[in-house]
Amino acid sequence: MISTVHTLNILLSYLYLITFGVYLYNFISEKDQANNTNRILLFVTLLLHVIYLLVRTVEFNHPPITNKFEIFTVLSFALAFAYFILELLTDVKKTGAFIVFFALVFQFISSIFIQDLIEVNEILRSRLLGIHVMSALLGYSGFTIAAVYGGLFFLLYRDIKLNRYGFLFKRLPSLEILEKLNFYSVLIGFILLTISMMIGFFWLPIAFPNISYFDPKLISFIVVWFVFGIGILAKLFAKLYGKKVIIFSLVGFLIVLGSLFVTNVIAESFHSFF
Amino acid sequence: MNLIGISINHRTSPIELRESVTLSQEEQIEFISQLKSEVLTEGFVISTCNRTEIFGVPKNNEITQKSIVQNLKKFKIVENLKDEHIESYSSSNALSHISKVAAGIDSLIVGDSQILSQCKDAYRLSVNEDFSNTVTRKIFDLAARVGKRAITESQISQGAVSVSYAAIQVIEKIFSNLDKKEALIIGAGETSELAAIHLNSRNIGKITITNRTSEKAGQLAKKVSGSSIDFDEFKEHLHKFDIIISATSATDYLVTYDDIKRTISKRKGTPIFIMDIAIPRDIDPKVKNIDNVFYNDLDSLNIIVDQNLKKRKHEIPKVEKIIEEEVDSFHNWHNTQGIVPAIKSLRSFFETIEIDELNKIKNKVSNEDYLKLENMAKRLMGRILHNPTIKLRELAESGNNIETTNQYTKVIKDLFNLDNIKQNEKNN
């Protein structure tokens, strides 16, 4: 089984590279591709990635969350999977290269540096922790994807405003679609973050009887959840459109980055395992 | 190939001259009748605002392109039509030219797809007036094929090349579902009408027209299945529209910066597309500085038009390659035309022998044996004639050596006495 783990580890980098290549070609080419080659390729890559994560979990008897490079492969999967769901929901296939690129980078780094750890902190063997981390990463991936689409929205917005009808103008979908992709990504991210939070609230007091509810990671998690929650409510009920919605998601993403920096680099947390 | 023709087009003649030789449908019918009686056995006439083309097979070798020009001058009574205004074509050149016209690469706006349907109309008229025969039919098959391939295999007709279409291209980069959007057209003149028609063709949710003369607004609204609002009130409704197009002859701004500022605030940031195609402009261009307002005037939209025209010009070599292929294939067909009757006569000669010989033994053998003999005779004829038929076709289709093809044809005709089939039958 260990050989399967190693083979899949290498194979995944190549698969993400090919998938990225196909999506990039689809974006650069001016012809609208009616076929689903890129989607099928992404699906196969994701399927093998799930198998890889499961085999790895069984082989080493812990979810792949015990070191940075295991987290990277989960993050790569989370990004690609969140994008896949988004593509299925919206049927917009032109912009995949912008997201699959990040999945490729994380998987590539992981494939090179990942280690086969058998001896790990016992707490990290918990399957519930695995789901908690996985859904949190999926949630953050949703916000990352939203930020990418937010960036693309602003690039196209600026081009149209300045009457620059170049490469991006010709190839990007409409502002309305980019806004929709941005909002759906936020929605996916928020739902998965909520799931992660709920698992955390049930599981944390059991795993850590001395848990502090003023832990910086918990607080930042809740802040991020509130910011995006307010954004979604504002969009749905106050009928916010266009630039305002995008700015909201970008500010939210900056808060995510800031909170990750503070909780992982500056502050001490019971959440830190490696 | 005996095909001649003339072309008076946007490259050779100024608009006044082109107008003076343009033929209406009624005139074309009359002119075709004149051509038929005096110069051409078959052919066609294409006449649009940018070109008049007359092509056909001459009645005899004395008839040249000049004869066609003389006929045209006589018919339209045009004094100032000189040699430099006319392009003359014959044979392969004529075919290539017609193909270029059909593919739109000879049009004033490269890639114009309307010309293909105008070519088809010309062919229909030629058929209706009994002016079409094998050559004309084949030429139009060629033109239609070239036109179709040019559209599907190249990007010669891609991209907006008019300001109104360019505006649609920008609108489609802002909004996704045009069927849920509302547009306001300010003005009811020719430009407004064109813009309204373009929007309507893209299934815009609702089109509203406003004009100083409300009757005109009503008339245009009817044409595009829209509605009209009173000119004095339109500013109060600006926030309801996602697209505003203005094309009036007003001398001052009709819509000011403050009007749009108020509008966008009422729309809670929902984008608005403004297209000002009036000269002088109707809408204060400063509105482009307001967030979520996408303002375009003639200059900015012409950027798209120029880009697309440039791109279409890059596609011309691809289309020329298609034309070359199709003209070659036309020549292959044309070269076989001399040989087809010889092949037919040869086969018919052998079939006559076959039937004759079978008849001789019909009553001497059983039915079952007769059927076997009949099958054998058919197979025998097929095998004997297979190689000569293929060889002759190949020779003709290669088009490399017409003389050799003619010699082969002559030898076959002489050997089997194919020109005197009846005498042949008697001898046999």
Side-chain angles (χ1 to χ4, degrees):
Chain A
M1 209 186 236
I2 190 81
S3 63
T4 313
V5 171
H6 291 158
T7 310
L8 283 172
N9 178 41
I10 302 298
L11 187 66
L12 279 173
S13 278
Y14 285 106
L15 278 173
Y16 276 110
L17 184 67
I18 296 166
T19 311
F20 169 69
V22 173
Y23 270 103
L24 188 67
Y25 174 76
N26 193 9
F27 179 71
I28 291 169
S29 135
E30 284 193 43
K31 284 180 190 166
D32 275 331
Q33 294 213 333
N35 66 47
N36 285 327
T37 317
N38 36 13
R39 188 179 287 177
I40 293 165
L41 206 56
L42 182 59
F43 177 73
V44 171
T45 308
L46 282 169
L47 197 68
L48 286 173
H49 208 150
V50 170
I51 294 169
Y52 170 69
L53 295 176
L54 287 175
V55 171
R56 211 180 161 87
T57 307
V58 173
E59 179 66 23
F60 302 118
N61 195 27
H62 60 76
I65 52 168
T66 61
N67 61 65
K68 270 180 199 152
F69 303 111
E70 280 189 340
I71 291 285
F72 273 18
T73 188
V74 177
L75 196 58
S76 165
F77 170 78
L79 278 164
F81 182 69
Y83 170 75
F84 185 70
I85 299 290
L86 189 67
E87 194 184 293
L88 288 180
L89 284 173
T90 58
D91 205 31
V92 178
K93 292 179 255 178
K94 268 266 183 195
T95 53
F98 294 96
I99 314 300
V100 178
F101 171 75
F102 290 105
L104 167 68
V105 170
F106 282 118
Q107 183 53 44
F108 188 69
I109 297 169
S110 169
S111 291
I112 295 172
F113 298 109
I114 201 162
Q115 291 167 331
D116 300 340
L117 293 179
I118 295 169
E119 297 302 319
V120 293
N121 187 339
E122 271 313 303
I123 200 88
L124 295 174
R125 292 197 191 277
S126 163
R127 300 289 186 265
L128 215 51
L129 175 69
I131 299 170
H132 167 70
V133 172
M134 204 81 91
S135 48
L137 287 175
L138 274 165
Y140 283 131
S141 298
F143 299 145
T144 310
I145 294 171
V148 172
Y149 283 121
L152 292 174
F153 178 97
F154 273 110
L155 286 175
L156 182 61
Y157 179 92
R158 187 200 55 188
D159 276 4
I160 302 176
K161 271 285 215 186
L162 300 175
N163 305 132
R164 286 203 303 227
Y165 307 114
F167 184 81
L168 286 177
F169 175 82
K170 283 176 194 154
R171 284 157 183 85
L172 283 177
S174 68
L175 289 175
E176 223 169 55
I177 287 178
L178 287 172
E179 188 190 323
K180 188 172 153 188
L181 287 166
N182 169 278
F183 183 66
Y184 278 31
S185 310
V186 167
L187 218 53
I188 292 171
F190 184 76
I191 291 166
L192 288 159
L193 205 67
T194 309
I195 292 169
S196 176
M197 209 162 77
M198 284 164 74
I199 294 170
F201 273 114
F202 284 116
W203 175 77
L204 282 176
I206 301 164
F208 302 95
N210 300 326
I211 181 178
S212 158
Y213 285 99
F214 294 101
D215 179 80
K217 213 167 215 172
L218 268 183
I219 293 169
S220 72
F221 205 85
I222 292 164
V223 168
V224 168
W225 189 82
F226 263 109
V227 168
F228 279 100
I230 291 164
I232 290 166
L233 289 176
K235 161 84 183 163
L236 293 177
F237 297 106
K239 304 270 180 214
L240 284 188
Y241 293 103
K243 244 174 112 176
K244 283 180 189 164
V245 178
I246 303 291
I247 289 171
F248 217 108
S249 78
L250 287 177
V251 168
F253 182 66
L254 287 177
I255 293 171
V256 168
L257 288 182
S259 73
L260 285 175
F261 179 75
V262 169
T263 53
N264 287 305
V265 181
I266 300 172
E268 281 280 313
S269 165
F270 70 90
H271 256 94
S272 306
F273 303 108
F274 47 84
Chain B
M1 188 183 41
N2 208 7
L3 174 70
I4 58 168
I6 60 155
S7 170
I8 299 151
N9 57 56
H10 60 92
R11 281 180 285 102
T12 62
S13 320
I15 189 159
E16 299 77 24
L17 196 63
R18 295 202 305 270
E19 275 169 358
S20 64
V21 293
T22 301
L23 298 151
S24 67
Q25 191 163 357
E26 290 72 32
E27 283 176 319
Q28 283 182 41
I29 293 169
E30 211 178 314
F31 186 53
I32 283 173
S33 145
Q34 183 180 317
L35 288 171
K36 262 163 67 178
S37 68
E38 291 179 29
V39 280
L40 302 174
T41 56
E42 61 170 306
F44 58 89
V45 176
I46 300 170
S47 194
T48 70
C49 52
N50 282 321
R51 60 177 66 250
T52 295
E53 312 262 342
I54 304 153
F55 282 81
V57 178
K59 283 196 156 179
N60 56 55
N61 291 338
E62 309 288 305
I63 288 162
T64 63
Q65 291 90 342
K66 279 196 174 157
S67 323
I68 301 175
V69 175
Q70 276 161 9
N71 268 272
L72 181 65
K73 277 182 174 173
K74 199 165 77 181
F75 186 81
K76 285 295 284 188
I77 317 166
V78 200
E79 293 300 322
N80 49 354
L81 186 63
K82 297 195 173 81
D83 284 353
E84 65 258 33
H85 299 130
I86 304 158
E87 285 175 343
S88 297
Y89 294 99
S90 61
S91 194
S92 285
N93 281 340
L95 279 178
S96 296
H97 173 75
I98 297 160
S99 304
K100 281 179 184 172
V101 171
I105 59 172
D106 196 51
S107 296
L108 184 61
I109 294 167
V110 175
D112 169 27
S113 52
Q114 217 184 345
I115 188 72
L116 186 60
S117 57
Q118 286 163 335
C119 287
K120 285 176 185 165
D121 290 343
Y123 175 60
R124 253 175 246 129
L125 191 68
S126 173
V127 172
N128 291 345
E129 295 308 306
D130 200 20
F131 191 38
S132 162
N133 209 327
T134 320
V135 173
T136 310
R137 199 188 66 237
K138 273 291 185 180
I139 288 172
F140 274 100
D141 283 349
L142 164 80
R145 231 177 8 252
V146 166
K148 225 182 222 174
R149 282 186 64 189
I151 291 168
T152 53
E153 293 174 31
S154 78
Q155 295 190 318
I156 198 74
S157 300
Q158 297 276 304
V161 286
S162 73
V163 168
S164 295
Y165 270 126
I168 300 276
Q169 209 172 315
V170 181
I171 289 169
E172 282 176 340
K173 282 290 165 185
I174 299 168
F175 306 115
S176 57
N177 298 318
L178 293 188
D179 54 339
K180 287 178 186 148
K181 305 296 168 206
E182 292 195 22
L184 172 72
I185 314 270
I186 308 170
E190 208 177 314
T191 320
S192 306
E193 184 174 337
L194 205 64
I197 289 168
H198 279 159
L199 282 177
N200 197 32
S201 71
R202 291 298 172 122
N203 294 324
I204 291 277
K206 194 182 168 198
I207 298 175
T208 305
I209 318 280
T210 186
N211 191 56
R212 279 189 206 281
T213 321
S214 55
E215 289 80 33
K216 276 190 175 180
Q219 280 164 8
L220 180 55
K222 216 173 180 183
K223 266 190 193 172
V224 292
S225 318
S227 58
S228 62
I229 53 171
D230 208 42
F231 191 78
D232 297 328
E233 289 172 13
F234 86 85
K235 281 191 186 181
E236 290 160 32
H237 301 279
L238 281 178
H239 64 281
K240 292 177 188 166
F241 300 102
D242 306 286
I243 298 154
I244 297 171
I245 296 176
S246 192
T248 74
S249 50
T251 47
D252 289 321
Y253 292 145
L254 290 176
V255 180
T256 63
Y257 179 88
D258 290 336
D259 292 332
I260 297 297
K261 190 89 189 160
R262 268 195 302 276
T263 301
I264 209 76
S265 141
K266 278 186 193 169
R267 285 172 65 82
K268 292 183 182 171
T270 312
I272 188 166
F273 173 83
I274 296 173
M275 173 173 150
D276 189 351
I277 40 178
I279 293 175
R281 288 181 287 193
D282 289 337
I283 300 165
D284 186 350
K286 276 191 212 142
V287 301
K288 71 169 89 163
N289 299 323
I290 304 171
D291 258 359
N292 294 309
V293 173
F294 298 97
Y295 170 87
N296 279 272
D297 55 20
L298 278 175
D299 280 355
S300 63
L301 291 171
N302 270 328
I303 298 171
I304 296 183
V305 172
D306 290 344
Q307 274 180 355
N308 288 333
L309 279 174
K310 215 181 265 175
K311 212 161 84 186
R312 285 184 178 198
K313 278 179 189 158
H314 278 298
E315 293 294 301
I316 290 178
K318 268 189 207 165
V319 178
E320 282 175 336
K321 181 97 198 324
I322 293 170
I323 291 172
E324 206 178 295
E325 286 169 18
E326 290 295 339
V327 168
D328 278 353
S329 120
F330 181 92
H331 280 305
N332 289 344
W333 165 81
H334 189 256
N335 290 336
T336 60
Q337 290 313 288
I339 218 149
V340 167
I343 294 173
K344 271 188 185 164
S345 305
L346 185 67
R347 295 196 83 93
S348 144
F349 172 66
F350 275 82
E351 271 165 19
T352 314
I353 296 173
E354 179 197 316
I355 293 164
D356 196 35
E357 290 303 315
L358 281 169
N359 281 340
K360 282 179 189 170
I361 57 156
K362 196 171 186 178
N363 298 325
K364 293 175 188 168
V365 293
S366 67
N367 271 350
E368 202 181 319
D369 285 343
Y370 178 77
L371 283 174
K372 281 180 189 167
L373 282 168
E374 194 183 42
N375 281 336
M376 190 197 74
K378 278 204 166 72
R379 277 201 308 275
L380 201 64
M381 288 304 129
R383 290 184 70 175
I384 289 169
L385 291 174
H386 179 75
N387 281 345
T389 311
I390 296 290
K391 182 77 184 167
L392 283 171
R393 274 193 192 281
E394 276 175 2
L395 262 175
E397 280 175 4
S398 73
N400 295 332
N401 200 338
I402 301 292
E403 274 181 26
T404 315
T405 315
N406 290 340
Q407 272 173 9
Y408 271 67
T409 315
K410 191 173 181 318
V411 168
I412 284 174
K413 280 183 176 174
D414 287 349
L415 278 176
F416 295 102
N417 200 16
L418 295 179
D419 287 334
N420 297 299
I421 297 279
K422 281 193 178 160
Q423 194 191 334
N424 249 344
E425 282 168 8
K426 272 183 198 170
N427 293 343
N428 289 328

